[in-house]
Amino acid sequence: MAAWDLSVTVEDLGSDAPPVTLSVASDLHVGGVILKLVEKTQIQRDWSDHAIWWEQKQRWLLRTAWTLEKYGIHADARLVFMPQHKPLKLGLPNGTTLRLQACFSSSVFQTVMGVCRMLNIRHPEELSLLRPVEEKKKKKDKDSSEEIYDLTEVPLSSASRPCLYNGMPAHFADSPQMEAVYKMLSVTQPPPAPEFIAKQYRAASVVDKAHINGRWLDSSRCLMQQGIQENDRVWLRFKYFSFYDIDPKYDVVRLAQLYEQARWAILLEDIDCTEEEMMLFGALQYHISKVTQSEPQMLSSSAAMDDLESALQSLEVKMEGESSSASEMLENMTAPDLNDYLKIFRPKKLTLKGYKQYWFKFQDTSISYFKSKEESIGEPIQQINLKGCEVAPDVNVTAQKFLIRLLIPAPEGMNELYLRCENEQQYAQWMAGCRLASKGKTLADSSFQNEIQSIRSFLAMQKTSSGSHGNSPTNDEGINTHSLVSPRYHKKYKAKQLTPRILDAYQNVAQLSLTDAVMRFLQIWQALPDFGLSYVVVRFKGSRKDEVLGIAPNRLIRIDLAVGDVVKTWRYNNMKQWNVNWDIRQVAIEFEGNINIAFACVTADCKIVHEFIGGYIFMSTRSRAKGDELNEKLFHKLTGGHEAL
Amino acid sequence: MDDIDAMFSDLLGEMDLLTQSLGQETVPPASLPSTNDNVNLSTSYTDLNASLNELEDTDLDALMADLMADLNESEEKLAAQIEDLKGPSPPPSDLPPPPPKGPSIRPASSLPSPTSPASSTSSNVSTSSAASPLPPPPPQATKPTKEEIEAQMKADKIKLALEKLKEAKVKKLVVKVLMNDGSAKTLMVDERQTVREVLDNMFEKTHCDCNVDWSLCETNPELQLERAFEDHENLVEPLLAWTRDSENQVLFQERGEKYEVFKNPQNFYLWKKDKRALKEIKDKDKELLIQENFCGTSIIVPDLEGVMHLKEDGKKSWKTRLFQLRASGIYYVPKGKTKSSRDLVCFVQFDNLNVYYGKDFKNKYKAPTDFCFFLKHPQIQKESQYIKYLCCDDAWAMNLWVTGIRIAKYGASLYENYKTAEKKAAVSSVWTNRSTPSSSNPSTPSPTIKAKSPNQANGHAQEPQPRPVSTDFGHVPPPPPPLADFLPPPPPDPFRPPPPPPLAVKSSLKPALPHRHLPTNFPPPPPAMDNLPPPPLPPKDDAPPDFLPPPPPAAGFGSLFPPPPPLNSLPLPPPPVSFRGVDQSLPPPPLDAGFLPPPQPMFTGAGAPPPPPPPPPPAAAPKPALRPSGSVKKMPPVPPKRTTPSMHGGGDGDFMSELALAMNKKRGLH
């Protein structure tokens, strides 16, 4: 067979070096080409990760047994010999950037699996990569010093589950730097400065949100094929909002990143919520950041420790059970005394009486008041049971106004009542007492001191935020409440107006542990009506206007773009089949009952829509019975399109 | 130290007196008519006499009879125990495997025993056991040092004292429950009982079919309201909110809407769809809906949106608004704004509100239709500006909203309740089916039958014993096996149901009972277990059931459960752990039962801790701690009702005398 010259660019020789020219025959297989190439470069190194990339055809020549003829390669082919794994900058849900070795030659699905394995995130099928939104170039020079966590030294392992050391994958235990990276991954970030939130790109409309979904990479093709180059930036995000089998014990990183993604979705109004919900999200963020600061960060739960841990846990449970009998009851008998002179005021129609001072005494869940301290031994003027009442603050620190507003239920309705305290200290105690009592707890409850603390720290917030406008959060006491809500509320409320509202919501979550608080945050997020919807602008067959298709974990919805109303809902479980006509780029779906829909995609490739639908169907096939094994084949079958066939 | 000890024994003595006077602990049996009365000494304003006076004579007689029956039983038991006291104590030490005892109880009892006989039989037993130097318990590897034992004993004493204190504070009400046919049953309900437990109680009394629709409802004629209590709620608390002169009633009736959302989830979650399509929905799709909305990380509330008429702030007029239901509350769309979330105005959140059906509001408030519901704080009993009335166009919409609000407010509890109720229903149907065969053919393996028949449809194993399972889903699977093991104790083969039918019944009963205690009672700290000798302390409550049928004396235990050792020896699957604990605790019960006014209380029950040797304590312990959901009585009709319930004789004395007084007074008046 005739020999001809084949030129191959070897990346490792530098970009200026001329291509290496080999004399080959068409029946030479790719492995032979590589062998010749390596010999010719005369460089001694490990070439095992290298492979040949065919530029014109945008494909890797990974089958080394195939001949050049079989690949259809001729002398005019531009081939590049380079490593399959290259550094990639990965933007994480928490806003940080990692640099790590990613695979550029396998499907994005597998690349994500590899990345997740390295980061210790289970269920990589729920995540994917997308091209980042272009940052505004204006301040680029200023921000270019962005910190990048470097993980490029970490070799990619092929073990399906990394072995754990000290609760983290072994490669994170190598050095303090690596440990710091793991901490960044597994611990939630402090609340961002309000200016930072304001600077972020926010999708202003459904159409904007739809555009973001056009950025998802194709799971069945590799990074090189999608124009991603070495050291490019991509985002790693949860794509399918169907989170399977979350276990706080094994999902430290997964949960932290999921929380971050949810938090940013709320802060940037990617998902709409009401004001009340926003305040609750704010309160949870506040609580989470507070607990994170006070708790030892690294939860060491190495495999070896697991047993011990579970033993300890069960011990704890027992002790708790115990405490409900012994220690708690002991406490009940030793409830702290709380009594003082306070002023009381009952707003009633047609009365202009002001505040009157009495001697108040807290007992169990009731407060009683007497004419004076001396008379407190006798019958109180009145005893008020606070159980089930509503407690609201009416406080202005600068004006030294400390009012507790109580709405006390009675058979006839609610009685309104104000208690006036003299100072912060007094207010914090009585407020804490009232809050506990309203929930049926007494002062003896272990949370009493915590409650006082949190009320005081909120008072402190009010002080600092009223003193200096919109300061970024510095000390732990002074979290700016603007850091906890979306920019809309920065405009609507001053920080000190937000404080009491967030505090109000906070009282319901203040007792949660870190994990519980994160889980609660996620639950409330998942309970939002628009949760899990990924939007795409489409044009339905026979329709002349653009409409929005919302893709949810269990259904598709059709939204009228002009009004924003949901026009129609189709559930996947009624779906008989869906097809993509790749030539005219149209998705056609058939549902039970002879319902057929077809649409062309405007803001995203139809492959992306196809992948979303197939992906969600794949997600719903996961079950415990099948174990942890990821059925990659099925995924590709459902999402791959014609390439998979 | 001595001083402290002395103090404690004094304290304990006092407590005993206190508890005795409170008496009537529990629950099961007593049912009588009545309004709500607060029996509690310390707290309630209502006084027992007054409430008793309101009772009909016949009701009173019935209550009295019930209570007397209990009393007699308990007296018998007491007598039996006394006899046993001497006898039984030694055995425990000898028997290694026997029932693990609640450690706490023993030591405690040792002190007070002289002072307060009432405290607990177990105490006596325990004393003796304590005396015996080496507790033979197999499980405990380590031997506690003497100091540890002492410390433990002291801790236990403290705990006991505290428990009793707490017990003294427990509120009890005599509740009259109206039946559909106009008759009434009267129950003694204690504040720790959930509606589920009370329902189970009613099942026993009424021989109804126990289906999931049975509910306890409250009505308030003044507000013309009706609300079915949720199964996980405590019954006493809402009743305490009733005013003294209220004509409110508690009804026992079937309410289809209670769990309709689980039977036909499509009507709630796909309500926008064409109604005919909804009717044709497949079971598989229903399951999927439940799965999606109730089994995920987050409970999903149906997305309701619609125009309703609102009357609030005490105004007379009705205005229309576009409302939306979200997990966080009900919102409305302000005039001229869009429906986007950020523009919604919060109408109510559910923390302090309950939802009620309103009756005949067209007449009363000139409502546009009669399909009204309203939201109010449970304590509000009269018309008030704080009540928010809503009126829907049709019954369908009203049910959607009320159910949606319940899902938003109660979340996962609702589904848990349903699963429990379903199990209950399944078990009872099994019982009814099975009662005939069992009697005719004793050898029928009862366990097997149970296992197969009931709820298969639902996909869970139905446990024969309903209650343990009640709340904790996790529990479910394990229970059945244990039961099986349990029943046929004698024969080595677990699946064989050797015991004669009646026995089987009883035994099944017991397990259930104990189980409930288990969770409730303290999960004894592991160390404690070590210390304690394994004397059989029966949970008081359990005792009665076992006890009654057989002769009171300890013998009962033996005769009934010859197999206990075998039980232990049987290779039990791990899950049963908790159960085992139960079993063991069972045998010993006879003695104690009589004595203590066995408050169901969490604390007293001795049985709880799973000391059983084999099981790894951790596994068992956590569960109970999680959910004491015990159901008080569970079993269906078969068992002799009377007997079961009454266990607390001891304490009744004072109560009884009060009752008698009240009756006399009342009669005098006439």
Side-chain angles (χ1 to χ4, degrees):
Chain A
M1 205 170 265
W4 43 277
D5 282 350
L6 177 70
S7 51
V8 180
T9 307
V10 179
E11 211 181 63
D12 299 73
L13 295 177
S15 50
D16 299 339
V20 175
T21 306
L22 305 172
S23 175
V24 297
S26 291
D27 63 350
L28 182 65
H29 52 74
V30 173
V33 175
I34 292 176
L35 195 64
K36 285 191 171 190
L37 204 57
V38 167
E39 275 168 6
K40 199 142 187 190
T41 59
Q42 299 196 325
I43 299 177
Q44 294 291 321
R45 55 161 295 170
D46 177 9
W47 294 99
S48 62
D49 189 43
H50 282 58
I52 296 174
W53 167 253
W54 184 4
E55 230 171 73
Q56 292 109 319
K57 290 276 167 105
Q58 289 284 300
R59 68 184 293 186
W60 289 88
L61 309 182
L62 293 177
R63 298 178 193 259
T64 48
W66 280 23
T67 61
L68 293 175
E69 188 178 18
K70 189 162 184 189
Y71 268 120
I73 290 175
H74 304 287
D76 62 347
R78 284 204 306 277
L79 302 180
V80 184
F81 186 57
M82 61 181 172
Q84 300 175 56
H85 289 85
K86 301 176 173 194
L88 183 69
K89 279 192 219 149
L90 201 62
L92 297 179
N94 68 3
T96 58
T97 305
L98 272 182
R99 201 160 157 269
L100 45 64
Q101 295 282 354
C103 181
F104 277 66
S105 66
S106 57
S107 68
V108 164
F109 186 77
Q110 280 178 334
T111 305
V112 172
M113 277 174 71
V115 167
C116 288
R117 198 182 302 127
M118 186 189 296
L119 305 184
N120 198 20
I121 298 176
R122 298 196 310 151
H123 296 287
E125 67 273 15
E126 291 161 5
L127 297 97
S128 192
L129 302 176
L130 73 171
R131 296 171 217 269
V133 175
E134 298 79 16
E135 286 166 28
K136 296 169 198 160
K137 302 280 176 186
K138 300 175 203 164
K139 295 182 181 173
K140 207 189 172 197
D141 23 355
K142 214 173 141 193
D143 290 341
S144 58
S145 57
E146 177 194 28
E147 187 181 8
I148 293 185
Y149 294 86
D150 196 7
L151 278 179
T152 46
E153 298 309 309
V154 178
L156 284 168
S157 73
S158 53
S160 64
R161 182 169 290 177
C163 52
L164 295 186
Y165 178 81
N166 245 355
M168 47 193 173
H171 51 265
F172 284 115
D174 292 345
S175 67
Q177 289 83 3
M178 295 298 277
E179 247 175 73
V181 173
Y182 187 73
K183 186 173 153 191
M184 176 279 290
L185 288 170
S186 57
V187 175
T188 59
Q189 302 287 302
E195 301 78 27
F196 184 74
I197 302 178
K199 237 171 46 191
Q200 299 296 305
Y201 170 78
R202 288 196 304 278
S205 65
V206 181
V207 176
D208 284 352
K209 291 176 195 171
H211 277 287
I212 289 180
N213 284 315
R215 302 175 169 277
W216 290 106
L217 296 185
D218 185 338
S219 295
S220 35
R221 297 195 300 150
C222 69
L223 290 177
M224 283 296 284
Q225 285 169 327
Q226 302 182 61
I228 306 292
Q229 303 291 325
E230 180 171 344
N231 276 324
D232 274 0
R233 230 177 108 88
V234 293
W235 285 351
L236 177 70
R237 291 291 185 274
F238 291 88
K239 177 180 182 184
Y240 298 102
F241 295 88
S242 158
F243 312 117
Y244 184 68
D245 184 31
I246 292 183
D247 183 341
K249 192 168 159 195
Y250 300 111
D251 289 329
V252 184
V253 178
R254 185 178 174 213
L255 265 182
Q257 297 304 322
L258 192 52
Y259 163 74
E260 292 285 354
Q261 186 167 333
R263 179 235 288 250
W264 281 104
I266 302 288
L267 289 181
L268 300 180
E269 297 186 357
D270 269 345
I271 181 167
D272 275 344
C273 66
T274 64
E275 192 169 317
E276 285 70 22
E277 287 156 354
M278 183 62 84
M279 297 306 144
L280 184 51
F281 282 124
L284 281 164
Q285 289 175 70
Y286 172 76
H287 183 58
I288 288 168
S289 84
K290 207 172 126 202
V291 183
T292 308
Q293 283 169 11
S294 61
E295 261 183 24
Q297 318 261 304
M298 286 299 221
L299 307 167
S300 54
S301 60
S302 73
M305 296 283 282
D306 282 355
D307 286 345
L308 183 57
E309 196 191 8
S310 65
L312 280 174
Q313 266 172 2
S314 63
L315 188 63
E316 251 167 84
V317 173
K318 275 190 205 165
M319 306 282 267
E320 272 164 28
E322 202 83 346
S323 70
S324 68
S325 52
S327 58
E328 184 188 276
M329 289 197 323
L330 250 188
E331 273 177 18
N332 276 346
M333 299 201 304
T334 58
D337 283 340
L338 186 56
N339 36 44
D340 216 337
Y341 279 107
L342 302 177
K343 290 180 178 156
I344 188 171
F345 170 58
R346 300 166 177 280
K348 271 184 194 153
K349 282 173 203 162
L350 306 175
T351 45
L352 294 168
K353 274 189 246 164
Y355 286 88
K356 284 187 88 179
Q357 176 165 296
Y358 292 101
W359 175 255
F360 280 79
K361 201 169 164 185
F362 222 116
Q363 271 178 326
D364 290 332
T365 60
S366 303
I367 47 176
S368 315
Y369 59 93
F370 308 82
K371 265 220 166 75
S372 68
K373 183 176 183 182
E374 291 68 36
E375 292 177 33
S376 63
I377 298 135
E379 279 290 302
I381 298 171
Q382 199 192 353
Q383 182 171 22
I384 307 163
N385 191 344
L386 301 183
K387 198 168 168 187
C389 78
E390 286 174 34
V391 187
D394 185 356
V395 173
N396 187 328
V397 182
T398 37
Q400 287 292 294
K401 179 173 98 173
F402 300 102
L403 289 184
I404 302 172
R405 177 176 179 261
L406 299 170
L407 258 188
I408 297 153
E412 298 77 22
M414 311 292 273
N415 295 320
E416 196 176 6
L417 188 87
Y418 286 87
L419 293 181
R420 173 164 223 144
C421 303
E422 286 303 312
N423 54 48
E424 256 183 75
Q425 168 65 19
Q426 198 183 42
Y427 168 79
Q429 286 185 338
W430 284 84
M431 188 66 178
C434 291
R435 286 198 193 284
L436 289 181
S438 72
K439 283 181 251 166
K441 295 181 189 165
T442 69
L443 300 188
D445 195 89
S446 55
S447 57
F448 182 50
Q449 290 304 328
N450 283 344
E451 195 75 41
I452 294 179
Q453 270 317 314
S454 64
I455 291 170
R456 302 191 71 168
S457 65
F458 266 96
L459 287 177
M461 277 163 64
Q462 229 186 22
K463 248 190 257 172
T464 54
S465 51
S466 61
S468 51
H469 259 291
N471 257 355
S472 58
T474 42
N475 52 18
D476 57 350
E477 291 278 292
I479 289 184
N480 186 331
T481 42
H482 277 171
S483 302
L484 306 172
V485 295
S486 72
R488 169 185 314 278
Y489 296 94
H490 299 180
K491 290 177 203 132
K492 193 166 176 185
Y493 297 109
K494 291 182 189 152
K496 71 174 176 187
Q497 293 173 307
L498 273 176
T499 307
R501 304 209 49 190
I502 293 181
L503 175 59
D504 218 29
Y506 175 70
Q507 60 175 317
N508 289 324
V509 299
Q511 308 304 325
L512 299 177
S513 73
L514 180 56
T515 308
D516 289 346
V518 169
M519 291 299 281
R520 176 73 65 86
F521 191 99
L522 295 177
Q523 280 167 2
I524 301 173
W525 175 51
Q526 291 178 64
L528 294 176
D530 294 341
F531 168 80
L533 284 175
S534 306
Y535 301 101
V536 184
V537 176
V538 298
R539 172 128 353 148
F540 278 90
K541 195 174 166 185
S543 166
R544 292 214 183 151
K545 55 176 185 186
D546 284 350
E547 284 171 272
V548 175
L549 182 74
I551 307 169
N554 58 358
R555 66 194 191 278
L556 295 174
I557 59 176
R558 179 175 182 173
I559 301 169
D560 184 311
L561 197 46
V563 195
D565 278 355
V566 173
V567 180
K568 193 93 181 113
T569 301
W570 303 279
R571 290 170 53 84
Y572 298 144
N573 62 312
N574 293 329
M575 190 155 84
K576 288 173 88 173
Q577 60 169 330
W578 82 103
N579 296 297
V580 180
N581 184 331
W582 299 102
D583 298 327
I584 58 169
R585 316 299 279 176
Q586 190 184 60
V587 182
I589 309 177
E590 183 187 350
F591 293 94
E592 282 168 16
N594 276 331
I595 300 168
N596 288 289
I597 61 171
F599 52 84
C601 307
V602 180
T603 57
D605 192 281
C606 61
K607 170 65 162 68
I608 290 176
V609 173
H610 169 65
E611 209 178 287
F612 259 119
I613 297 173
Y616 273 126
I617 289 172
F618 173 78
M619 300 299 152
S620 69
T621 64
R622 296 177 293 177
S623 76
R624 219 162 294 248
K626 288 171 194 158
D628 280 347
E629 218 35 51
L630 186 53
N631 189 343
E632 197 186 331
K633 236 192 215 158
L634 179 61
F635 183 87
H636 284 303
K637 208 167 149 191
L638 288 167
T639 63
H642 58 323
E643 286 157 35
L645 303 175
Chain B
M1 293 298 257
D2 289 347
D3 289 348
I4 297 181
D5 282 351
M7 255 170 58
F8 265 109
S9 40
D10 282 352
L11 193 55
L12 285 175
E14 266 173 349
M15 257 131 245
D16 282 335
L17 289 179
L18 215 53
T19 9
Q20 275 178 346
S21 60
L22 284 183
Q24 222 34 37
E25 186 81 349
T26 314
V27 181
S31 50
L32 286 191
S34 75
T35 56
N36 40 323
D37 304 34
N38 194 337
V39 181
N40 176 354
L41 290 183
S42 51
T43 9
S44 67
Y45 50 85
T46 343
D47 108 79
L48 179 58
N49 289 341
S51 62
L52 287 173
N53 283 338
E54 291 168 16
L55 297 178
E56 302 289 322
D57 278 351
T58 49
D59 291 339
L60 256 188
D61 290 340
L63 180 55
M64 203 61 182
D66 253 2
L67 294 178
M68 289 306 287
D70 292 350
L71 196 60
N72 291 341
E73 279 171 20
S74 54
E75 271 168 9
E76 279 175 33
K77 267 174 229 162
L78 209 137
Q81 285 177 351
I82 291 172
E83 282 176 28
D84 292 335
L85 278 185
K86 291 139 204 174
S89 46
S93 53
D94 299 343
L95 297 178
K101 228 358 344 358
S104 51
I105 292 192
R106 264 197 229 100
S109 55
S110 60
L111 282 183
S113 52
T115 351
S116 57
S119 69
S120 71
T121 18
S122 57
S123 62
N124 301 328
V125 175
S126 57
T127 327
S128 56
S129 61
S132 60
L134 291 183
Q140 323 149 313
T142 56
K143 266 178 210 161
T145 67
K146 199 176 173 194
E147 289 80 20
E148 281 170 345
I149 296 182
E150 274 173 9
Q152 180 60 39
M153 281 171 52
K154 182 162 296 159
D156 292 341
K157 274 179 225 161
I158 295 177
K159 204 193 299 165
L160 187 75
L162 293 172
E163 283 157 17
K164 294 207 170 171
L165 253 192
K166 203 160 195 181
E167 182 58 28
K169 279 173 142 186
V170 171
K171 292 179 192 147
K172 289 156 194 112
L173 292 184
V174 176
V175 180
K176 178 170 172 181
V177 180
L178 291 182
M179 319 286 291
N180 274 341
D181 61 4
S183 66
K185 301 266 181 201
T186 307
L187 303 169
M188 177 82 71
V189 181
D190 122 359
E191 66 174 336
R192 292 163 301 194
Q193 277 182 288
T194 63
V195 170
R196 177 76 252 161
E197 289 166 330
V198 178
L199 276 176
D200 290 346
N201 222 340
M202 290 301 293
F203 288 170
E204 255 176 51
K205 287 180 172 301
T206 59
H207 302 277
C208 70
D209 64 359
C210 306
N211 73 51
V212 297
D213 291 341
W214 286 103
S215 316
L216 287 177
C217 312
E218 114 181 271
T219 63
N220 177 331
E222 181 159 357
L223 291 174
Q224 299 183 5
L225 67 77
E226 237 180 73
R227 177 174 100 93
F229 296 114
E230 304 297 342
D231 289 357
H232 66 278
E233 285 182 277
N234 282 335
L235 182 59
V236 167
E237 198 179 325
L239 299 191
L240 286 179
W242 290 4
T243 56
R244 193 189 287 249
D245 54 349
S246 92
E247 292 172 26
N248 296 6
Q249 291 176 327
V250 176
L251 311 180
F252 178 64
Q253 56 182 208
E254 287 174 277
R255 295 186 75 100
E257 82 274 4
K258 186 179 184 188
Y259 291 125
E260 181 65 14
V261 66
F262 301 112
K263 296 182 213 161
N264 288 300
Q266 74 281 8
N267 292 343
F268 299 85
Y269 285 94
L270 306 177
W271 59 277
K272 287 177 193 157
K273 300 243 180 212
D274 165 53
K275 304 231 164 27
R276 210 189 55 226
L278 291 185
K279 259 188 198 156
E280 291 163 1
I281 190 167
K282 289 170 282 189
D283 282 352
K284 190 187 76 196
D285 292 338
K286 290 186 188 179
E287 251 169 58
L288 187 70
L289 278 173
I290 292 179
Q291 200 73 21
E292 278 174 9
N293 296 294
F294 289 94
C295 303
T297 9
S298 185
I299 303 294
I300 307 299
V301 173
D303 61 332
L304 300 184
E305 178 183 299
V307 173
M308 288 192 285
H309 309 274
L310 164 70
K311 181 175 119 60
E312 64 175 348
D313 295 337
K315 295 189 184 127
K316 295 210 164 140
S317 60
W318 293 82
K319 55 190 167 186
T320 56
R321 272 201 177 138
L322 178 55
F323 288 94
Q324 267 189 22
L325 177 69
R326 298 168 72 98
S328 57
I330 300 179
Y331 295 77
Y332 63 85
V333 181
K335 285 218 173 85
K337 296 272 191 164
T338 66
K339 288 196 274 181
S340 109
S341 301
R342 52 186 83 134
D343 289 334
L344 293 178
V345 175
C346 187
F347 172 58
V348 290
Q349 298 193 294
F350 304 121
D351 301 333
N352 289 317
L353 296 176
N354 278 347
V355 59
Y356 301 81
Y357 284 102
K359 292 288 166 209
D360 199 20
F361 276 16
K362 218 165 157 177
N363 262 333
K364 187 169 185 184
Y365 297 119
K366 306 231 170 349
T369 75
D370 259 339
F371 309 108
C372 297
F373 67 93
F374 59 95
L375 296 149
K376 70 169 183 72
H377 193 289
Q379 298 211 29
I380 297 179
Q381 297 291 315
K382 313 195 164 173
E383 275 184 48
S384 148
Q385 53 168 333
Y386 294 95
I387 301 181
K388 297 179 188 303
Y389 302 94
L390 289 162
C391 177
C392 307
D393 289 340
D394 52 32
W396 168 280
M398 175 178 69
N399 274 326
L400 266 181
W401 278 93
V402 173
T403 306
I405 293 167
R406 287 168 61 221
I407 295 170
K409 181 172 170 67
Y410 303 110
S413 314
L414 217 52
Y415 188 45
E416 295 294 332
N417 290 346
Y418 173 66
K419 285 188 288 189
T420 308
E422 212 188 14
K423 261 166 229 150
K424 175 81 195 173
V427 169
S428 68
S429 66
V430 172
W431 273 104
T432 39
N433 297 340
R434 154 171 195 266
S435 56
T436 350
S438 66
S439 56
S440 59
N441 179 6
S443 63
T444 325
S446 42
T448 345
I449 291 188
K450 286 177 203 159
K452 300 265 158 119
S453 41
N455 348 345
Q456 259 115 348
N458 302 331
H460 330 101
Q462 50 293 28
E463 324 8 48
Q465 342 92 333
R467 45 253 40 277
V469 185
S470 53
T471 9
D472 182 354
F473 194 45
H475 263 154
V476 177
L483 227 199
D485 292 333
F486 182 60
L487 288 180
D493 175 348
F495 289 121
R496 268 291 160 78
L503 225 198
V505 172
K506 266 178 232 150
S507 59
S508 60
L509 265 186
K510 289 169 206 160
L513 281 181
H515 187 142
R516 128 186 171 226
H517 293 302
L518 261 193
T520 10
N521 297 342
F522 20 58
M529 294 160 63
D530 296 335
N531 297 342
L532 297 180
L537 283 188
K540 312 123 185 239
D541 295 351
D542 306 345
D546 297 15
F547 193 46
L548 290 179
F557 158 164
S559 60
L560 281 185
F561 293 87
L567 253 195
N568 292 334
S569 58
L570 286 182
L572 291 183
V577 172
S578 49
F579 267 109
R580 263 188 238 143
V582 172
D583 301 347
Q584 295 178 334
S585 57
L586 288 181
L591 306 182
D592 319 7
F595 276 134
L596 284 188
Q600 12 191 255
M602 347 212 52
F603 307 99
T604 7
K623 286 220 177 138
L626 287 181
R627 272 277 169 153
S629 61
S631 23
V632 176
K633 309 275 133 137
K634 45 259 325 351
M635 285 315 217
V638 187
K641 306 169 194 165
R642 271 296 155 69
T643 51
T644 4
S646 61
M647 10 210 83
H648 336 311
D652 303 351
D654 289 357
F655 177 78
M656 293 303 294
S657 59
E658 267 178 69
L659 195 63
L661 252 177
M663 286 178 71
N664 289 340
K665 252 191 220 163
K666 180 150 191 180
R667 290 200 171 118
L669 287 179
H670 286 307

